[in-house]
Amino acid sequence: MSTKEKSLNFIEQIIEEDIKNGLPTEKLHFRFPPEPNGYLHLGHASSICLNFGLGIKYNAPVNLRFDDTNPSKEEQEFVDAIKHDVEWLGYKWANEVYASDYFQQLYDWAVQMIKDGKAYVDSQSSEEMAQQKGTPSTVGVDSPYRNRSVEENLDLFERMKNGEFEEGTHILRAKIDMAHTNMLMRDPIMYRIMKKAHHRTQNDWCIYPMYDWAHGESDYLESISHSFCTLEFLPHRELYDWFLDQVVTDENIRPKQREFARRNLSHTVVSKRKLARLVNEGFVTGWDDPRMSTISGLRRRGYTAASIRNYADTIGIAKRDNLIDVSLLEFCVREDLNKITPRVMAVLDPVKLVITNYPEGQEEWLDAENNPEEEVMTFRKVPFSKELYIEREDFKEEANSKFFRLTLGKEVRLKNAYIIKGESVVKDENGNITEIHATYDADSRSGSGSEASKRKVKGTIHWVSVPHAVEAEVRIYDRLFVDENPDGNKEVDFIDFINPNSLEVVKGYLEPSLSTAVEGDKFQFQRLGYFCVDKESSANALVFNKTVGLRDTWAKVEQK
Ligand code: ATP
Ligand code: MG
């Protein structure tokens, strides 16, 4: 279904309703607001596709806003990575903006609120304040500092800003209602003292605004029409609106916060805090480890931007949290890679095949079709010789009639090459097969036009010529967690569900056309799956990552 034919989702319905009620479409303005405290993950991809997708649909600007109000966790490295990921996903932001751009304006507004009796400095310990907060069923207690004079508040707040006080000695609170039914409205914190250098404002500030105070006001300053966030912010909406009430004038558009469900993916975690733990405690090699649910990890694994956009579009947005099965993501990448990747031959678990009646020392360069999905077929040459590698599992000495691969006394076609017949095996002293001997039908070469070339045999297997084979390290990944919802059980640490066998490294033998492959190049290794060249690869030491298998093997296992 094209986007046009799709019925409107509930976020689009909200926008259409606003347009119907008089909001000019040129006032539509969206934003994606990451906190630069980690790398973006697949959950963020949903939010990116939602916001930037709306921008495309309504021809409206979308800001990339860094929500950088907590210098203790935020870093320039994360800002750079986030920008790279959004660009790579294929989106262009209208403005690159930072909550820290507004620190002065936010401060000035806070001073005005103090003057209006809407904010005060509280000098209690955080424990005392927590006790006074009350519970959802019992009202809170007013702070003894709640009725400080405007002058005293202005003086203290300025001195907080000037760095005269230690962290934790004073905070600025909004003066709302300690008996409010919404706990977030019980005199929420607006500023805390933090003596930390900020990655953009360095040491200009010793006080930093809280998310609730900074977010809506940033939206307002940027003339954002719709501020979409995840469901956990639903109870914050009342506070978002209350803070806006303190600053909004009639001239500017008043932003509207609306919520959608977080997207969670099975067999992984999508939370920066948890992903950071995997990195910091060494369970993975970094934020871009190909087993991570980060955009950078998926990119390194061989996922395409189109497949991630297609995934986000397929799951759409929802009003309730749910767990999406990772096989849907795998389906999306397979579908895209099937269209775009060349088919090549690689053997990952080799056994040697000797064609006894093939002339010693002869080699032939045979035509191999690059991709049957191409509109105009293109070909490359692959070398054939007397000694080949085939996959160990493609041979059985004796097999029943359902085994369509190589066996003694039966014929099989070598992909792009000849029909061969299994003749005998050579074994070592332990009985393991070290060589398979076969004979070939010299008239049967694929594409030669001869009668024998058209002869149908039941099976086709892939192969690589031994003297021409290029060796590579091939990294084969499994799911990082054995449980489908490692995050789901609050009693158990998600680390306990880590799959100890999530990475297997093998030596692969590849057709020589792959010797020039470079980082990011993607291929289908015929009959094995999709693979891409890793960033650690070099001309002398090729490294490939397995992106995904050719079909959903997990589904097959589960059906049994
Ligand atoms: P995390 O829990 O991973 O730290 P976050 O929500 O704190 O996520 P932010 O950087 O604040 O991370 O998020 C930026 C935007 O992405 C927010 O609008 C947030 O709601 C959205 N977002 C984050 N995680 C998801 C998710 N799993 N599904 C959909 N949207 C998400
Ligand atoms: Mg956050």
Side-chain angles (χ1 to χ4, degrees), residues 383-394:
F384 188 83
S385 69
K386 188 179 177 77
E387 292 200 347
L388 310 173
Y389 289 125
I390 65 167
E391 299 288 345
R392 197 163 274 279
E393 67 161 30
D394 280 343

Side-chain angles (χ1 to χ4, degrees), residues 38 131 138 170 216 234 245 331 337 368 380 401 429 479 511 539 555:
Q131 270 173 8
T138 57
H170 304 280
L234 183 58
D245 288 339
F331 171 82
L337 294 177
R380 70 184 181 289
S401 56
E429 63 276 18
R479 291 170 189 190
E511 64 168 76

Side-chain angles (χ1 to χ4, degrees), residues 476-489:
I476 298 172
Y477 304 99
D478 200 350
R479 291 170 189 190
L480 188 52
F481 293 94
V482 288
D483 193 83
E484 72 159 5
N485 193 4
D487 231 356
N489 185 343

Side-chain angles (χ1 to χ4, degrees), residues 485-515:
N485 193 4
D487 231 356
N489 185 343
K490 297 299 161 217
E491 321 270 271
V492 186
D493 186 1
F494 74 99
I495 294 288
D496 293 351
F497 292 116
I498 282 191
N499 175 4
N501 304 315
S502 61
L503 170 63
E504 185 197 353
V505 180
V506 301
K507 192 200 267 186
Y509 297 86
L510 322 179
E511 64 168 76
S513 72
L514 288 169
S515 63

Side-chain angles (χ1 to χ4, degrees), residues 32-35 41 43-44 47 228-230 260 262-263 271-272:
F32 170 64
E35 184 181 354
H41 52 63
H44 293 116
S47 175
F228 297 114
C229 58
T230 34
F260 63 96
R262 272 185 112 72
R263 287 312 203 174
S271 148
K272 276 180 283 181

Side-chain angles (χ1 to χ4, degrees), residues 71-126:
S72 67
K73 298 218 174 101
E74 297 156 5
E75 288 172 31
Q76 187 60 39
E77 175 197 343
F78 299 137
V79 170
D80 297 338
I82 288 169
K83 284 165 66 176
H84 180 60
D85 286 348
V86 175
E87 265 173 343
W88 178 77
L89 278 173
Y91 297 111
K92 285 199 170 64
W93 50 85
N95 307 292
E96 176 185 336
V97 278
Y98 296 78
S100 57
D101 294 341
Y102 316 127
F103 281 172
Q104 186 62 46
Q105 174 67 76
L106 290 168
Y107 177 79
D108 293 344
W109 274 332
V111 168
Q112 189 56 48
M113 283 173 64
I114 293 174
K115 288 180 183 164
D116 296 342
K118 300 275 183 66
Y120 63 97
V121 173
D122 198 337
S123 309
Q124 301 180 89
S125 69
S126 54

Side-chain angles (χ1 to χ4, degrees), residues 108-159:
D108 293 344
W109 274 332
V111 168
Q112 189 56 48
M113 283 173 64
I114 293 174
K115 288 180 183 164
D116 296 342
K118 300 275 183 66
Y120 63 97
V121 173
D122 198 337
S123 309
Q124 301 180 89
S125 69
S126 54
E127 293 75 26
E128 282 168 317
M129 280 185 270
Q131 270 173 8
Q132 290 165 356
K133 193 104 213 216
T135 66
S137 53
T138 57
V139 298
V141 178
D142 284 1
S143 161
Y145 298 100
R146 200 170 195 265
N147 292 317
R148 268 180 164 146
S149 70
V150 168
E151 291 68 36
E152 193 185 356
N153 278 320
L154 285 175
D155 173 63
L156 286 169
F157 189 46
E158 185 170 1
R159 288 165 61 197

